[in-house]
Amino acid sequence: MTLSELYLTLLIGGAVLLASIAAARAAHRIGLPSLLLFLAVGVLAGEDGLGLEFDDAQLAQAMGTAALAVVLVEGGLTTQWSDVRRLLAPAGVLATAGVAVSVVVTAAGAHWLLGIEWHLALLLGAIVSSTDAAAVFAVLRALPLPQKVTGLPPSSPSCERCRRSRR
């Protein structure tokens, strides 16, 4: 790699990073999961968007693993322990039951619509459904629902609406 190629790679990487930061801020403002806009930035920067060619599978796997680590660390660092402790039991039940239902529905659809054998359909359902709870909780964290809809205690005890509902 020549020095000019390195400069170009750093420039493109910086531009993608800047676009990702802008997408995260925009996602927070409009209430969408930031991962959805990161995906859009990736699609726009890819071969069908700007035309950047990328054909290194090992590098893609390493970058995907690093991105997953960043997502998991960000989720852990931005979650307050007081919220987790109070909502641990209901969130655990929702996540477990939701993933189980999603596995069954996905497996049934794959078996009946695509003709896949049951053991492979269940494996497909387990692979696809494992991230459902994380996606749902990310959306619910970004879009606070009324307490009547969620059935869970309010997450912010300092907000005026939450104090009124406790009286």
Side-chain angles (χ1 to χ4, degrees):
M1 178 179 276
T2 66
L3 195 56
S4 61
E5 290 174 343
L6 176 65
Y7 287 156
L8 182 62
T9 303
L10 289 175
L11 176 67
I12 291 171
V16 169
L17 181 62
L18 186 62
S20 298
I21 292 170
R25 295 197 44 106
H28 182 70
R29 280 193 207 112
I30 59 178
L32 288 174
S34 57
L35 295 178
L36 183 65
L37 290 183
F38 286 155
L39 183 62
V41 168
V43 168
L44 290 175
E47 291 182 19
D48 292 334
L50 295 177
L52 299 177
E53 292 185 25
F54 187 79
D55 59 355
D56 190 349
Q58 289 180 333
L59 180 59
Q61 181 180 6
M63 290 173 62
T65 303
L68 177 62
V70 169
V71 167
L72 293 175
V73 167
E74 186 269 337
L77 291 176
T78 59
T79 304
Q80 297 178 358
W81 177 244
S82 60
D83 292 338
V84 172
R85 187 177 12 172
R86 188 167 22 110
L87 302 175
L88 191 59
V93 170
L94 285 172
T96 305
V99 169
V101 168
S102 184
V103 167
V104 170
V105 168
T106 303
H111 175 72
W112 289 319
L113 297 175
L114 302 176
I116 298 175
E117 296 179 25
W118 272 111
H119 66 283
L120 290 177
L122 285 169
L123 180 61
L124 177 68
I127 291 169
V128 171
S129 303
S130 63
T131 59
D132 285 352
V136 168
F137 288 133
V139 170
L140 290 179
R141 184 171 39 177
L143 300 171
L145 298 173
Q147 187 176 0
K148 291 178 183 179
V149 174
T150 61
L152 299 176
S155 60
S156 176
S158 61
C159 75
E160 184 61 34
R161 187 183 66 177
C162 301
R163 282 191 296 239
R164 282 194 307 254
S165 67
R166 289 186 189 152
R167 293 182 192 161

